[in-house]
Each structure stands twice: as structure tokens, then as C-alpha cells.
Amino acid sequence: MVAYIHPVTYDIMLVRVQPGLTLHETLDRLNAGFDPDADPPPLRLTGAQRNEWARILGRVSRDVGAVESEEYLYSLTLQTVGPPGRVQLDYCGDTAHIEVAYRHSGEAALEVMRLAYRIARIVEDESGLTGHDFEVGQPTRTGDPVKAAARLSGVSDWAQHHLS
């Protein structure tokens, strides 16, 4: 029997903080109705959210470089193409998340996390979403990609030595 194993990723969360609430309170409300056994709701973006996505896609393409973009049933997605490695952004209108596979160590981890944080800051600028890196407990707006890279590198090294 062959099993498909989805790669474990380093995740950065972005969310539209609801008026009068903190980031954590907004996340608590979003998660209150979460059913892990249910399919996610289909993507239904407003015109303003589609415009945000267009600005995000355009700016990431200009500021970062080549990307591939797809629209799926549940999200709009872009992936960076080329060095320093693949960074994926999934945008759902009021939430988004960035994924980086745990396969980068040392200087490569720093390069890819600088890219991930740069994309997060673009999303924040163009959409008003608030980004937070829960892996290391820091906002993406003011957080240090070096701290994130150390975490990415450490987990990647551990996985390489213990899981392969």
C-alpha cells in the first residue's frame, strides 16, 4: 500500500480583524464554527476582495518576481517560481495564509522566509489583512524573518535527520 503524505508546512496566517476585536478574538470567532470533517465553504469573493487579489497578484509579480496563479473552489492561490524556493499564498477574502515547506536550512531558510514575510507585508498593504506568524509568535508587519528562518531551519534539519 502506498500512502500519500502531504508535506508539513510552516504557516503564516493573515486575517481581517473585525472592528472592536483583537486578532486573537477574531480568530476565536472564526474558529468557533470550524468543523474539521466538513468541506470548506466555496469561495465567494466580493468585488472589493477580487480587486484586492488583483493588487496583491500584480504587486507580488512586480516586487518579487514570477508567480503562478490559480483559482480553486476554495481559494485564490499564487506560488513563487524560482529561487529561493516555493512560497504559496492562499487568499480567501477575509483570511489568507502563506505556506513554506519544511525543507530549507541555513541561508536557504533565511532567503525563503524573507520572501514569505515580504509577501505577507504586501498582502497586508493591499488588503488590510493582519499577518501573524504563530510559529514564532510575532506579527509579520514588524517581525524578524531571521527568527522565522531559525525555526524553519531547525525543524527542517530535525525532519531530515529523523524522518528520512
PDB file of all heavy atoms in Angstrom, residues 2 5 34 46 51 117 140 161 163:
ATOM      1  N   VAL A   2       0.568   2.189  -0.847  1.00  0.00           N
ATOM      2  CA  VAL A   2       1.294   3.447  -0.924  1.00  0.00           C
ATOM      3  C   VAL A   2       0.410   4.530  -0.332  1.00  0.00           C
ATOM      4  O   VAL A   2      -0.755   4.681  -0.702  1.00  0.00           O
ATOM      5  CB  VAL A   2       1.646   3.794  -2.393  1.00  0.00           C
ATOM      6  CG1 VAL A   2       2.311   5.139  -2.468  1.00  0.00           C
ATOM      7  CG2 VAL A   2       2.514   2.714  -2.989  1.00  0.00           C
ATOM      8  N   ILE A   5       1.564  11.356   1.603  1.00  0.00           N
ATOM      9  CA  ILE A   5       1.803  12.172   2.787  1.00  0.00           C
ATOM     10  C   ILE A   5       1.926  13.618   2.337  1.00  0.00           C
ATOM     11  O   ILE A   5       2.818  13.961   1.575  1.00  0.00           O
ATOM     12  CB  ILE A   5       3.075  11.718   3.524  1.00  0.00           C
ATOM     13  CG1 ILE A   5       2.919  10.275   3.978  1.00  0.00           C
ATOM     14  CG2 ILE A   5       3.358  12.635   4.701  1.00  0.00           C
ATOM     15  CD1 ILE A   5       4.159   9.679   4.585  1.00  0.00           C
ATOM     16  N   PHE A  34     -15.773  26.081  13.231  1.00  0.00           N
ATOM     17  CA  PHE A  34     -14.969  25.194  12.388  1.00  0.00           C
ATOM     18  C   PHE A  34     -15.323  23.739  12.632  1.00  0.00           C
ATOM     19  O   PHE A  34     -15.370  23.267  13.761  1.00  0.00           O
ATOM     20  CB  PHE A  34     -13.483  25.423  12.658  1.00  0.00           C
ATOM     21  CG  PHE A  34     -12.588  24.532  11.841  1.00  0.00           C
ATOM     22  CD1 PHE A  34     -12.450  24.724  10.481  1.00  0.00           C
ATOM     23  CD2 PHE A  34     -11.901  23.491  12.438  1.00  0.00           C
ATOM     24  CE1 PHE A  34     -11.635  23.908   9.717  1.00  0.00           C
ATOM     25  CE2 PHE A  34     -11.080  22.665  11.694  1.00  0.00           C
ATOM     26  CZ  PHE A  34     -10.944  22.870  10.341  1.00  0.00           C
ATOM     27  N   THR A  46     -16.239  39.240  -2.752  1.00  0.00           N
ATOM     28  CA  THR A  46     -16.900  40.472  -3.175  1.00  0.00           C
ATOM     29  C   THR A  46     -16.053  41.111  -4.276  1.00  0.00           C
ATOM     30  O   THR A  46     -14.899  40.725  -4.501  1.00  0.00           O
ATOM     31  CB  THR A  46     -17.011  41.464  -1.995  1.00  0.00           C
ATOM     32  OG1 THR A  46     -15.683  41.857  -1.613  1.00  0.00           O
ATOM     33  CG2 THR A  46     -17.745  40.854  -0.811  1.00  0.00           C
ATOM     34  N   ASN A  51     -10.680  42.832  -6.262  1.00  0.00           N
ATOM     35  CA  ASN A  51      -9.749  43.924  -6.553  1.00  0.00           C
ATOM     36  C   ASN A  51      -8.504  43.835  -5.673  1.00  0.00           C
ATOM     37  O   ASN A  51      -7.390  44.101  -6.141  1.00  0.00           O
ATOM     38  CB  ASN A  51     -10.431  45.275  -6.368  1.00  0.00           C
ATOM     39  CG  ASN A  51     -11.453  45.556  -7.455  1.00  0.00           C
ATOM     40  OD1 ASN A  51     -11.401  44.982  -8.542  1.00  0.00           O
ATOM     41  ND2 ASN A  51     -12.395  46.434  -7.155  1.00  0.00           N
ATOM     42  N   TYR A 117       7.861  36.708   4.315  1.00  0.00           N
ATOM     43  CA  TYR A 117       7.489  37.922   5.055  1.00  0.00           C
ATOM     44  C   TYR A 117       7.237  39.087   4.098  1.00  0.00           C
ATOM     45  O   TYR A 117       6.346  39.907   4.333  1.00  0.00           O
ATOM     46  CB  TYR A 117       8.567  38.282   6.087  1.00  0.00           C
ATOM     47  CG  TYR A 117       8.331  37.637   7.431  1.00  0.00           C
ATOM     48  CD1 TYR A 117       8.301  36.255   7.580  1.00  0.00           C
ATOM     49  CD2 TYR A 117       8.135  38.408   8.566  1.00  0.00           C
ATOM     50  CE1 TYR A 117       8.091  35.661   8.802  1.00  0.00           C
ATOM     51  CE2 TYR A 117       7.923  37.836   9.809  1.00  0.00           C
ATOM     52  CZ  TYR A 117       7.893  36.454   9.925  1.00  0.00           C
ATOM     53  OH  TYR A 117       7.669  35.873  11.146  1.00  0.00           O
ATOM     54  N   THR A 140       3.758  39.753  11.303  1.00  0.00           N
ATOM     55  CA  THR A 140       4.586  39.799  10.100  1.00  0.00           C
ATOM     56  C   THR A 140       4.969  41.231   9.741  1.00  0.00           C
ATOM     57  O   THR A 140       6.006  41.447   9.120  1.00  0.00           O
ATOM     58  CB  THR A 140       3.888  39.134   8.898  1.00  0.00           C
ATOM     59  OG1 THR A 140       2.606  39.735   8.697  1.00  0.00           O
ATOM     60  CG2 THR A 140       3.728  37.651   9.138  1.00  0.00           C
ATOM     61  N   HIS A 161      16.965  14.503   9.600  1.00  0.00           N
ATOM     62  CA  HIS A 161      17.734  13.504  10.361  1.00  0.00           C
ATOM     63  C   HIS A 161      16.868  12.415  10.974  1.00  0.00           C
ATOM     64  O   HIS A 161      17.346  11.305  11.204  1.00  0.00           O
ATOM     65  CB  HIS A 161      18.554  14.197  11.445  1.00  0.00           C
ATOM     66  CG  HIS A 161      19.678  14.999  10.904  1.00  0.00           C
ATOM     67  ND1 HIS A 161      19.600  16.359  10.723  1.00  0.00           N
ATOM     68  CD2 HIS A 161      20.892  14.631  10.448  1.00  0.00           C
ATOM     69  CE1 HIS A 161      20.725  16.799  10.207  1.00  0.00           C
ATOM     70  NE2 HIS A 161      21.532  15.779  10.019  1.00  0.00           N
ATOM     71  N   LEU A 163      13.340  11.665  10.019  1.00  0.00           N
ATOM     72  CA  LEU A 163      12.214  11.151   9.240  1.00  0.00           C
ATOM     73  C   LEU A 163      12.629  10.585   7.889  1.00  0.00           C
ATOM     74  O   LEU A 163      11.794  10.048   7.184  1.00  0.00           O
ATOM     75  CB  LEU A 163      11.158  12.238   9.040  1.00  0.00           C
ATOM     76  CG  LEU A 163      10.570  12.831  10.322  1.00  0.00           C
ATOM     77  CD1 LEU A 163       9.599  13.934   9.988  1.00  0.00           C
ATOM     78  CD2 LEU A 163       9.912  11.745  11.177  1.00  0.00           C
TER      79      LEU A 163
END
